[in-house]
Amino acid sequence: MTLAVGIYLFNNVEVLDFAGPFEVFTTANRVSLRRSPDKAAPFNVFTVAKTEEAVQARAGLKTLPDFWLSNCPVIDLLIVPGGVVDQELNDYEVVSWVRESATRAQIAASVCTGAFLLAKAGLLHGKRATTHW
């Protein structure tokens, strides 16, 4: 079974916070396929942003999302990276999408300040969470 791994991108996202998980899951695919070339890759990794427009990460790296909120496939594992999340925290559409996607997903995880977006979506209520903040 292939798990759909959706990584949410937004302006001022921290490059390492989205590129690190992307690399981990795509490397796991390469290793798995090398060991078992007759089996499907364990992960379908893709990025999602609010719209189809390029996202400008911190330090200026521009990235085109694979999907956007309106056409995103079902996500099994949602990853919300960190960065400057102020604009995202005040965007009802984004917060609602995170809540809905995480509720349907098997796992929702964040990196660094991405935890604030999970919290704003009500996903951490009554749960233990940790961040350097």
Side-chain angles (χ1 to χ4, degrees), residues 26 38 54 102 125:
T26 58
D38 56 324
H125 183 73

Side-chain angles (χ1 to χ4, degrees), residues 11-27:
N11 284 321
N12 288 311
V13 64
E14 209 48 77
V15 174
L16 184 59
D17 289 6
F18 79 83
F22 188 92
E23 184 70 14
V24 167
F25 287 104
T26 58
T27 298

Side-chain angles (χ1 to χ4, degrees), residues 27-132:
T27 298
N29 279 344
R30 287 193 303 272
V31 170
S32 177
L33 291 172
R34 192 172 333 134
R35 291 180 177 174
S36 302
D38 56 324
K39 293 186 179 177
F43 305 106
N44 173 26
V45 186
F46 53 86
T47 57
V48 183
K50 184 173 180 178
T51 69
E52 68 274 12
E53 295 177 18
V55 170
Q56 185 164 333
R58 300 204 65 197
L61 177 68
K62 291 182 182 174
T63 304
L64 289 174
D66 297 311
F67 298 99
W68 38 98
L69 302 189
S70 64
N71 74 348
C72 182
V74 173
I75 296 172
D76 298 311
L77 186 131
L78 173 65
I79 298 176
V80 180
V84 180
V85 295
D86 298 344
Q87 186 174 355
E88 304 306 300
L89 291 173
N90 292 309
D91 188 323
Y92 178 80
E93 183 180 7
V94 170
V95 173
S96 293
W97 179 84
V98 167
R99 182 183 311 106
E100 291 166 16
S101 296
T103 300
R104 286 183 297 221
Q106 294 174 36
I107 298 172
S110 64
V111 178
C112 197
T113 56
F116 295 131
L117 196 48
L118 293 182
K120 179 76 175 203
L123 300 167
L124 300 182
H125 183 73
K127 296 185 175 145
R128 289 181 164 203
T130 188
T131 176
H132 77 280

